[in-house]
Amino acid sequence: MPGVANILHADLDSFYASVEQRDNPRLRDRPVIVGGGVVLAASYEAKAYGVRSAMNGRQARMLCPHAIVVEPRMEAYGEASSAVFERFHDFTPEVEPISVDEAFLDVSGALRIFGSPADIAAQLRTRVLVDVGLPISVGVARTKFLAKVASAQSKPDGLLVVDPDREREFLHPLPVEVLWGVGPATSEKLRNHGVETVGDLASSGRAEMQSLLGSHSGRHLRDLAHNLDPRKVDTARRDRSMGAQRALGIRVRTRGELRTDLLGLVEKVAARLRKAERLTRTVTVRFRTADLRHESRSRTLLEPTASTAILTATADDLLSSLVDGPHGPGTRLGRVGCSLIGVTFSGLARPDAVQLAIRFPEEGRPTEALDGLVDDIRRRWGGRAVARASLIKSDAGVPVLQRPTALDAVEPLGSVE
DNA sequence: TCTGGGGTCCTAGGACCC
DNA sequence: TCTGGGGTCCTAGGACCC
């Protein structure tokens, strides 16, 4: 097999639970469950009892009654994640984040300084453990897919290198569920079809798999089973969507309450959007009925925006089409109920560079002129910081940069009419 | 097995254009 | 104009991942 195993997949073990054990000695070597209603993470001691993430909290406590249940501390996890990613970047700039606790690294440019990929993986594990205090598993292979499978196989606190000469021996005996993209639904289809291992999938017909799984998935999964994965580590991947959602208890919500919840989420995500200096063109309102069916309504705007006013009005409209029946506002809601409401912005774009110049007379009031500028940007882009303004004073014909002024200092959040 | 919140990607049908 | 094909965009829903 040609090529060198230069790709690392690094994956923190039971991330949230490990952070809790790190920060609280009382939790070490004990079964820890993060999150009460639903399990966000379980320590290895809890996993030994069958506790899994995404599991119902009640069920988890039945499996492991002496587990210590802690509330999630998202800020702590965010800080830990940043610290770990800094260590990644100490070895190579070629880092592709997958989530808060997981990344691909291409170390082909780091070999001269740090040694073989296996050496680098070992050093990386040590650095993360010593500097950040967290165990991390690393898979090393020639492709992203193999590296990812290897890190999963090496857990917990492991390191596994897939020899390029032994890739198929490694891959083919594994169950099909190790393939990225095979979840419960696909797994069941494959098993009903007699496909249980990666090797089984590799020896099945291409047309057969495409008709079973759809043309794209069929081809993609079969390619992976054939050990074909040309994807490169992509450091420049950008966000494609942004959203927030809220699960609502069993209590019946009125249309008004639901609307208040939704608009709160819209404001929250719109603020994130502006902070990231992004605009959105498609607004999707998500809805889950009381009997857990998913529904959504979306609208694509003519122009991208980050304006809370526009986004709020759009979301409000979409909500109406979900909850208002033919017999009046909220009548459909009364019938189907609601157990979750959410909003997603997609079609994210960066604003074009906005450069607006204004001129005002010596005796004019700069703040008025600036207000006009802000109004103009507000009309076109909505919201606040899509650009930065600089006041330039012309002194005897020589422009002097006086004071860079962020528009968000002028324009308070969410005050767009 | 019905319980979270944050994402990604794909599909099928319809509208519309040439 | 009622018969063709191809392409793009939008919408609603589904599957999957951490």
Side-chain angles (χ1 to χ4, degrees):
Chain A
M1 195 45 68
V4 188
N6 277 337
I7 297 178
L8 272 56
H9 179 259
D11 196 347
L12 290 154
D13 300 325
S14 300
F15 178 44
Y16 297 174
S18 295
V19 173
E20 296 302 333
Q21 289 181 316
R22 176 195 72 178
D23 293 348
N24 184 350
R26 204 170 56 82
L27 303 179
R28 291 192 196 141
D29 305 317
R30 315 239 338 237
V32 175
I33 293 173
V34 180
V38 84
V39 177
L40 297 181
S43 71
Y44 278 92
E45 295 81 3
K47 283 181 181 168
Y49 289 84
V51 178
R52 296 285 175 267
S53 61
M55 183 179 269
N56 180 335
R58 196 165 350 125
Q59 191 194 354
R61 284 189 294 276
M62 274 167 57
L63 287 168
C64 186
H66 59 296
I68 303 171
V69 180
V70 300
E71 285 297 304
R73 296 179 301 136
M74 290 301 167
E75 340 69 59
Y77 312 146
E79 283 168 26
S81 173
S82 305
V84 171
F85 274 82
E86 276 178 35
R87 300 308 178 284
F88 292 167
H89 282 278
D90 287 344
F91 290 91
T92 174
E94 299 295 312
V95 177
E96 176 182 338
I98 302 299
S99 69
V100 283
D101 61 350
E102 193 184 339
F104 287 109
L105 288 76
D106 182 337
V107 297
S108 51
L111 305 178
R112 203 163 300 173
I113 309 173
F114 296 106
S116 74
D119 290 340
I120 295 175
Q123 293 170 58
L124 184 68
R125 278 165 38 72
T126 305
R127 282 265 66 81
V128 171
L129 185 63
V130 172
D131 297 350
V132 192
L134 296 174
I136 188 165
S137 295
V138 180
V140 184
R142 196 177 50 80
T143 66
K144 284 166 86 167
F145 166 58
L146 286 168
K148 165 113 178 146
V149 175
S151 75
Q153 296 292 309
S154 79
K155 280 176 176 294
D157 198 16
L159 167 57
L160 181 59
V161 182
V162 181
D163 181 345
D165 293 320
R166 297 233 174 101
E167 290 175 349
R168 274 162 211 250
E169 289 167 53
F170 167 70
L171 196 55
H172 281 184
L174 298 172
V176 279
E177 286 78 14
V178 304
L179 296 177
W180 217 1
V182 176
T186 308
S187 162
E188 197 188 335
K189 278 190 204 165
L190 287 171
R191 285 181 180 269
N192 287 340
H193 211 77
V195 175
E196 298 192 352
T197 66
V198 178
D200 292 342
L201 181 54
S203 53
S204 65
R206 174 170 166 162
E208 192 188 345
M209 284 304 114
Q210 287 185 306
S211 82
L212 185 68
L213 308 172
S215 102
H216 183 94
S217 303
R219 181 162 41 82
H220 177 63
L221 293 176
R222 196 167 163 283
D223 282 353
L224 290 182
H226 275 270
N227 197 23
L228 298 171
D229 178 20
R231 296 170 299 178
K232 302 246 177 291
V233 172
D234 181 4
T235 55
R237 238 169 49 155
R238 285 191 7 224
D239 290 345
R240 298 191 179 278
S241 69
M242 236 182 241
Q245 60 185 56
R246 177 128 105 219
L248 309 169
I250 39 175
R251 187 173 71 81
V252 176
R253 305 271 159 157
T254 65
R255 192 193 185 292
E257 288 173 328
L258 204 56
R259 182 171 181 273
T260 305
D261 283 342
L262 176 64
L263 300 190
L265 294 172
V266 170
E267 271 187 44
K268 189 170 100 177
V269 187
R272 273 171 58 203
L273 194 66
R274 291 190 290 267
K275 194 168 174 210
E277 299 195 359
R278 289 285 192 285
L279 307 175
T280 177
R281 215 161 78 86
T282 303
V283 180
T284 304
V285 172
R286 305 183 178 287
F287 184 86
R288 195 178 66 191
T289 59
D291 59 348
L292 305 175
R293 284 178 299 108
H294 292 262
E295 297 185 357
S296 67
R297 292 290 181 275
S298 66
R299 183 177 305 161
T300 300
L301 305 167
L302 283 174
E303 287 201 44
T305 184
S307 154
T308 299
I310 295 172
L311 296 172
T312 298
T314 306
D316 204 10
D317 253 23
L318 294 169
L319 179 68
S320 293
S321 87
L322 280 164
V323 303
D324 296 341
H327 306 298
T331 51
R332 181 161 189 273
L333 175 66
R335 273 205 339 273
V336 300
C338 177
S339 58
L340 177 145
I341 188 84
V343 67
T344 300
F345 299 151
S346 55
L348 301 191
R350 245 183 239 283
D352 297 343
V354 177
Q355 188 177 352
L356 299 180
I358 47 170
R359 179 194 288 275
F360 45 86
E362 202 65 46
E363 65 277 18
R365 307 224 355 244
T367 51
E368 281 173 15
L370 195 58
D371 284 347
L373 182 71
V374 168
D375 276 342
D376 189 21
I377 290 176
R378 194 163 63 169
R379 266 197 306 279
R380 290 180 54 193
W381 300 106
R384 48 166 204 174
V386 288
R388 310 236 175 245
S390 301
L391 291 181
I392 295 175
K393 181 185 171 197
S394 179
D395 204 351
V398 183
V400 180
L401 179 67
Q402 273 208 330
R403 182 167 60 95
T405 307
L407 288 190
D408 45 355
V410 179
E411 173 68 357
L413 174 63
S415 69
V416 179
E417 302 83 33

